[in-house]
């Protein structure tokens, strides 16, 4: 059993075969998926997918690219969506200076407002952070985000930051990058992260692991990520699947019974 903690099955890349692909997941050992909203439309779509499939849960929020959606109306919309019982997190939220640094102040405000919302709703957060380590860590500390709980998804920073994130009580999300030739920095950081703090994710349709790098990703590729982690940590693939599954259930506060 594998828990994909971060997928975007609402993406148009799945328009042709969404239902048949999702229907095939359970038979392939993917028994839980959290579909993550990147904007308000995606958040609504995530809730719809969670309503349709028993093993899919939803995260709702606006990615830093869509920080402008997080005004009073945006927050009210997220609050309304959160009433659905299968909403298990606020995300993905955070800072991304790789694509756009001009609106850094807007990104920070949207990030903080959504952490406040998560605290109010007693939901963990899914953090997206790219080329913005310092500002992200500053906000997480200021907000005492360890108490809110959550994950730094698609972790891309140094070993030192990984330690800080784990010490705060947050999880590290690991996906296809761990299999990439240029994923050495991540593999090194994972040596320092206890398996009890790692969760699996695809971020599909993006970031397909080797040997499928560059093609459309899906939860079906997670065994490649499991294998890479088992090699780094020196434990069996069964142990990686079981521990990361339990970690994800603990983080999302859902029971771990099948
Ligand atoms: Ni994502």
């Amino acid at each position: 059993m594998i828990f994909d903690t971060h997928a975007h099955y609402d993406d148009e890349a799945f328009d042709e075969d969404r239902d048949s692909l999702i229907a095939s997941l359970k038979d392939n050992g993917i028994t839980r998926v959290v579909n993550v909203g990147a904007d308000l439309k995606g958040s609504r779509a995530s809730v719809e997918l969670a309503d349709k499939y028993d093993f899919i849960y939803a995260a709702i929020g606006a990615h830093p690219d869509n920080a402008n959606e997080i005004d009073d109306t945006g927050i009210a919309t997220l609050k309304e969506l959160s009433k659905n019982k299968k909403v298990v997190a606020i995300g993905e939220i955070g800072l991304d200076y790789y694509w756009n640094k001009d609106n850094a102040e807007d990104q920070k405000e949207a990030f903080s407002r959504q952490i406040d919302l998560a605290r109010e709703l007693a939901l963990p957060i899914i953090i997206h952070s790219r080329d913005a380590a310092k500002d992200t860590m500053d906000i997480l500390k200021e907000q005492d985000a360890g108490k809110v709980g959550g994950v730094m998804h698609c972790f891309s920073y140094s070993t030192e930051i990984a330690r800080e994130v784990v010490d705060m009580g947050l999880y590290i999300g690991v996906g296809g990058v761990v299999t990439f030739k240029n994923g050495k920095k991540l593999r090194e950081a994972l040596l320092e992260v206890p398996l009890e703090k790692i969760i699996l994710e695809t971020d599909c349709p993006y970031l397909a692991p080797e040997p499928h790098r560059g093609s459309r990703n899906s939860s079906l590729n997670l065994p490649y990520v499991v294998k890479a982690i088992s090699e780094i940590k020196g434990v069996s693939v069964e142990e990686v699947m079981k521990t990361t599954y339990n970690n994800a259930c603990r983080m999302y506060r859902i029971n771990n019974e099948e």
Side-chain angles (χ1 to χ4, degrees):
M1 53 192 207
I2 286 179
F3 195 141
D4 185 351
T5 64
H6 190 125
H8 300 283
Y9 283 115
D10 54 297
D11 193 281
E12 61 182 15
F14 297 107
D15 282 354
E16 300 252 305
D17 60 349
R18 182 174 294 108
D19 286 318
S20 57
L21 176 61
I22 291 175
S24 75
L25 295 182
K26 270 189 173 176
D27 288 341
N28 286 283
I30 314 297
T31 53
R32 288 227 170 116
V33 175
V34 171
N35 201 82
V36 178
D39 56 16
L40 295 178
K41 184 168 165 260
S43 298
R44 248 178 240 113
S46 291
V47 172
E48 278 163 23
L49 281 171
D51 274 338
K52 190 166 177 188
Y53 298 97
D54 62 343
F55 70 108
I56 296 188
Y57 295 79
I60 56 172
H63 182 284
D65 287 351
N66 309 306
N68 62 346
E69 286 192 336
I70 300 305
D71 51 13
D72 291 346
T73 313
I75 292 286
T77 302
L78 292 176
K79 244 187 221 180
E80 188 58 34
L81 285 171
S82 76
K83 289 179 182 160
N84 187 299
K85 278 204 177 101
K86 289 184 82 187
V87 171
V88 293
I90 298 296
E92 55 188 293
I93 63 176
L95 304 176
D96 192 324
Y97 298 165
Y98 179 82
W99 293 110
N100 190 357
K101 210 183 165 175
D102 300 339
N103 67 344
E105 289 312 312
D106 293 344
Q107 291 189 34
K108 286 187 209 171
E109 198 193 328
F111 186 25
S112 291
R113 285 194 76 174
Q114 291 180 98
I115 299 174
D116 287 337
L117 177 67
R119 186 182 295 104
E120 184 187 328
L121 298 171
L123 292 173
I125 52 175
I126 300 170
I127 305 150
H128 170 105
S129 180
R130 190 166 182 200
D131 285 0
K134 187 179 179 302
D135 286 357
T136 302
M137 295 311 287
D138 284 350
I139 289 175
L140 293 176
K141 282 175 205 158
E142 193 182 289
Q143 286 268 3
D144 204 1
K147 287 217 180 87
V148 179
V151 58
M152 191 168 294
H153 120 83
C154 195
F155 186 82
S156 61
Y157 295 133
S158 64
T159 300
E160 196 190 342
I161 303 269
R163 268 195 218 109
E164 272 189 64
V165 169
V166 168
D167 286 347
M168 287 178 81
L170 300 171
Y171 291 81
I172 301 278
V174 180
V177 176
V178 75
T179 69
F180 293 177
K181 234 184 208 157
N182 56 359
K184 192 165 165 247
K185 190 170 95 176
L186 173 62
R187 289 189 286 276
E188 281 172 4
L190 291 182
L191 286 171
E192 298 295 319
V193 177
L195 187 58
E196 285 65 31
K197 301 304 286 188
I198 295 173
I199 59 176
L200 304 177
E201 61 169 58
T202 52
D203 204 18
C204 64
Y206 311 106
L207 295 172
E210 292 289 359
H212 300 303
R213 188 172 183 180
S215 63
R216 186 186 74 170
N217 197 9
S218 83
S219 313
L220 297 174
N221 284 327
L222 277 173
Y224 297 108
V225 175
V226 168
K227 186 165 174 287
I229 295 173
S230 87
E231 285 165 8
I232 293 165
K233 303 306 281 181
V235 298
S236 67
V237 295
E238 290 77 18
E239 176 71 27
V240 173
M241 288 193 282
K242 188 173 146 234
T243 305
T244 55
Y245 187 93
N246 288 332
N247 296 344
C249 292
R250 196 184 322 119
M251 190 195 84
Y252 284 129
R253 300 158 197 168
I254 52 187
N255 76 55
N256 64 351
E257 281 150 38
E258 287 295 294

